[in-house]
Amino acid sequence: MDMQMPTDAHAEIREEVRKLCTRFPGEYWRELDARRGYPTEFVNALTEAGWLSALIPEEFGGSGLPLSAAAAILEEIHASGCNAAACHAQMYTMGTVLKHGNAEQKTKYLPKIATGELRLQAFGVTEPTSGTDTTALRTFAKREGDKFIVNGQKIWTSRAEHSDLMLLLARTTPRDQVKKKTDGLSTFLVDMKAALGHGLTIRPIRTMMNHNSCEVFFDNMEVPAENMVGQEGKGFRYILDGMNAERMLISAECIGDAKWFINKAVEYSKQRVLFGHPIGKNQGVQFPIAKAYAAMRAAEALLQQGLKKFEAGLPCGEEANMGKMLCADAAWMAAEACLQTHGGFGFAEEYDVERKYRECRLYQVAPISTNLVLSFIGEHVLGMPRSY
């Protein structure tokens, strides 16, 4: 079933991404899932095709495409039954370098990221004690001459084992010495290969889905001062700049997941015959799938509105946050309908439903929890008192 918009500006991109994804069928992902492996071949294929450098300007070896094109790429990956979690961070973390990095940093890193010589996949922000309260993070970077000495810990730093560079947020001024709690945080590009074993320790975390999550420890890790992105103490706003893009790209993945689940459920409901007729004839099967489709279309429309605003340089926090929540909800609704349609077979690995079911559950929690989205809407959209 074709679920694409009739006037889709990125139809050709979608078609090419779909072709690439056919080289990585369900068997490929099931094997990786069983051993918690990293999809190196898949990431390399996306890199060689230029899809992971879509947002890098042409002068640095990328395609210079808009955010909506990147969203189309990630959506199609998920709609094809694949998973972009192994590499999607590169698209939104590089935005900090693009917008706030200096000329030397852009020239040094972006061309190599575009070719795949370097991977910028690790995002060091969340900590065990602070969670989504980012301003309460404790990792500290102390200036000593031409370098910073970093001590602390991060958690849920996905792809840390498979990344060359990490975008790290750390305090450079103690919280009790700044006027605003959002001040005193700085952003760094960490050469993980050089730091590993020299102050950097990576420990994988086994989770319910194959997300390559890790916790990382910094013990007097040295970072050259020249690797600071932007101005010292202004890192929090640099990270915020990229969050709307991150949320919309993740939303696109959720839409792709929803489309995969809906297609899978529709096809199975036509083929599965019980009591003398296809189960899709039964309203108890048909209506949940139809409702999931309607929810997906509504969420998709809000996402497209947010992408247009982002590309026009307009404020899009409302669309980015609500879109992430509604797209994640639509994906989960579609997952529930798909699993229920398949009955017992939905739990069998060979159908891929249970794998995708586990994968899409993540987006009810990350990259921003539903409760924080609702708090944002209450305070910043509806003008209600701050709830936290």
Side-chain angles (χ1 to χ4, degrees):
M1 177 183 175
D2 186 6
M3 299 188 191
Q4 301 311 321
M5 300 287 189
T7 58
D8 187 359
H10 304 302
E12 292 183 7
I13 289 176
R14 293 178 183 276
E15 183 178 356
E16 292 304 314
V17 173
R18 281 196 293 268
K19 288 179 183 177
L20 185 151
C21 288
T22 60
R23 294 156 46 189
F24 303 91
E27 295 86 349
Y28 174 80
W29 297 99
R30 289 196 293 273
E31 191 275 331
L32 287 172
D33 189 65
R35 61 179 173 86
R36 292 298 192 264
Y38 185 78
T40 301
E41 302 84 1
F42 179 66
V43 174
N44 287 344
L46 289 173
T47 302
E48 291 167 7
W51 299 127
L52 295 188
S53 58
L55 297 178
I56 296 178
E58 292 183 59
E59 62 184 294
F60 297 114
S63 304
L65 295 175
L67 189 68
S68 57
I73 292 167
L74 295 180
E75 179 192 315
E76 287 305 321
I77 289 172
H78 282 248
S80 298
C82 301
N83 192 330
C87 49
H88 61 194
Q90 183 164 302
M91 287 189 169
Y92 53 78
T93 52
M94 72 173 64
T96 301
V97 182
L98 281 171
K99 192 169 183 179
H100 303 288
N102 58 41
E104 290 76 18
Q105 289 169 340
K106 293 177 184 179
T107 301
K108 180 179 180 180
Y109 294 113
L110 291 180
K112 291 182 179 180
I113 293 172
T115 61
E117 186 176 346
L118 289 177
R119 285 181 182 165
L120 174 55
Q121 295 291 356
F123 197 26
V125 176
T126 306
E127 297 186 2
T129 57
S130 58
T132 51
D133 185 6
T134 304
T135 60
L137 62 80
R138 299 178 181 178
T139 297
F140 199 86
K142 182 180 180 182
R143 180 73 180 254
E144 290 189 3
D146 60 353
K147 61 189 176 185
F148 284 84
I149 307 300
V150 183
N151 285 282
Q153 178 186 358
K154 298 292 181 180
I155 198 167
W156 309 126
T157 307
S158 300
R159 302 159 299 272
E161 294 181 291
H162 307 281
S163 185
D164 299 295
L165 300 171
M166 173 195 290
L167 188 65
L168 173 68
L169 185 67
R171 276 221 165 267
T172 45
T173 303
R175 192 178 182 183
D176 60 3
Q177 295 179 23
V178 293
K179 292 181 179 179
K180 295 174 59 179
K181 62 182 181 179
T182 54
D183 291 338
L185 294 162
S186 300
T187 310
F188 301 88
L189 275 172
V190 177
D191 184 338
M192 299 181 71
K193 301 301 182 186
L196 191 62
H198 298 88
L200 173 65
T201 302
I202 302 173
R203 185 180 300 164
I205 303 172
R206 190 174 177 88
T207 61
M208 69 183 287
M209 79 290 291
N210 184 24
H211 203 67
N212 302 113
S213 292
C214 302
E215 53 184 338
V216 294
F217 302 87
F218 313 110
D219 184 13
N220 292 323
M221 181 184 74
E222 297 183 4
V223 179
E226 64 188 29
N227 281 29
M228 177 183 286
V229 179
Q231 298 179 19
E232 183 173 341
K234 305 298 182 183
F236 183 75
R237 67 189 63 177
Y238 301 158
I239 296 297
L240 282 182
D241 276 350
M243 284 186 173
N244 283 337
E246 175 194 31
R247 286 163 194 173
M248 285 190 277
L249 291 176
I250 296 298
S251 296
E253 292 185 0
C254 291
I255 293 298
D257 282 335
K259 290 180 178 180
W260 186 89
F261 283 119
I262 291 166
N263 268 321
K264 192 86 169 176
V266 167
E267 291 306 311
Y268 188 79
S269 74
K270 293 176 181 178
Q271 298 166 8
R272 179 65 166 166
V273 176
L274 286 175
F275 303 108
H277 61 260
I279 62 173
K281 186 176 181 179
N282 302 321
Q283 292 180 349
V285 172
Q286 185 180 115
F287 285 7
I289 301 172
K291 192 171 184 179
Y293 178 80
M296 180 274 292
R297 278 303 194 202
E300 183 182 34
L302 184 59
L303 169 60
Q304 292 302 319
Q305 182 177 326
L307 290 168
K308 289 179 181 177
K309 281 192 171 184
F310 183 93
E311 292 174 0
L314 299 173
C316 58
E318 179 178 346
E319 290 79 9
N321 281 279
M322 291 197 305
K324 186 270 167 184
M325 179 180 70
L326 295 177
C327 290
D329 286 349
W332 187 239
M333 185 184 296
E336 287 279 306
C338 185
L339 183 63
Q340 198 69 18
T341 299
H342 282 75
F345 290 108
F347 294 88
E349 290 182 351
E350 65 181 286
Y351 284 78
D352 292 310
V353 175
E354 63 87 25
R355 171 180 62 84
K356 293 282 284 183
Y357 186 91
R358 286 184 282 113
E359 290 172 355
C360 88
R361 181 60 178 84
L362 171 65
Y363 298 127
Q364 293 287 311
V365 176
I368 181 174
S369 72
T370 297
N371 284 345
L372 279 180
V373 170
L374 294 173
S375 294
F376 176 90
I377 297 170
E379 179 185 354
H380 297 286
V381 179
L382 301 178
M384 298 168 72
R386 186 180 180 89
S387 62
Y388 63 92

